[in-house]
């Protein structure tokens, strides 16, 4: 196994780029068992449609930065 990502959460992309952060690397996502939107970092400008609006995606919780000066915008990736 090359990479193991634990505690994956399924969600659906609602808007990309996000309504809040206008970068193409951030999307508004609704987790599978929730009705509230969260911010998620999306890689590779959509991964050839795999992370575009309406796509079902798998997310992992991002680690909390140890530095206080590093302000994290997204909760998931």
């Amino acid at each position: 196994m090359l990479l193991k990502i634990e505690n994956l959460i399924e969600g659906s992309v609602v808007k990309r780029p996000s309504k809040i952060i206008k970068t193409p690397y951030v999307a508004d996502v609704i987790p599978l068992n929730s009705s509230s939107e969260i911010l998620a970092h999306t890689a590779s400008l959509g991964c050839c449609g795999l992370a575009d609006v309406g796509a079902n995606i798998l997310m992992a919780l991002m680690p909390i930065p140890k530095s206080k000066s590093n302000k994290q915008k997204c909760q998931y990736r």
Side-chain angles (χ1 to χ4, degrees), residues 6 13 47 54:
E6 298 193 17
V13 177
C47 291

Side-chain angles (χ1 to χ4, degrees), residues 15 17-23 25-31 36-42 57 59-62 72-77:
K15 181 156 177 48
S18 170
K19 293 175 274 192
I20 299 166
I21 300 174
K22 302 295 182 191
T23 174
Y25 294 104
V26 177
D28 295 326
V29 178
I30 296 181
S36 60
E37 290 182 9
I38 61 170
L39 292 175
H41 180 268
T42 56
I57 60 170
M59 306 174 285
L61 191 61
M62 291 181 74
Q72 187 172 320
K73 306 284 191 234
C74 299
Q75 303 153 323
Y76 293 86
R77 63 177 166 199

Side-chain angles (χ1 to χ4, degrees), residues 7 10 51:
N7 302 322
E10 190 174 348

Side-chain angles (χ1 to χ4, degrees), residues 1-2 4 6 8 17 19 21 25 31-32 37 44 47 49 54-56 60-61 63 65-66 68-70 73 76:
M1 180 175 294
L2 295 175
K4 183 176 182 180
E6 298 193 17
L8 290 175
K19 293 175 274 192
I21 300 174
Y25 294 104
L32 183 62
E37 290 182 9
S44 300
C47 291
N56 291 326
L61 191 61
K66 294 180 182 183
K68 291 183 180 181
S69 64
N70 186 359
K73 306 284 191 234
Y76 293 86

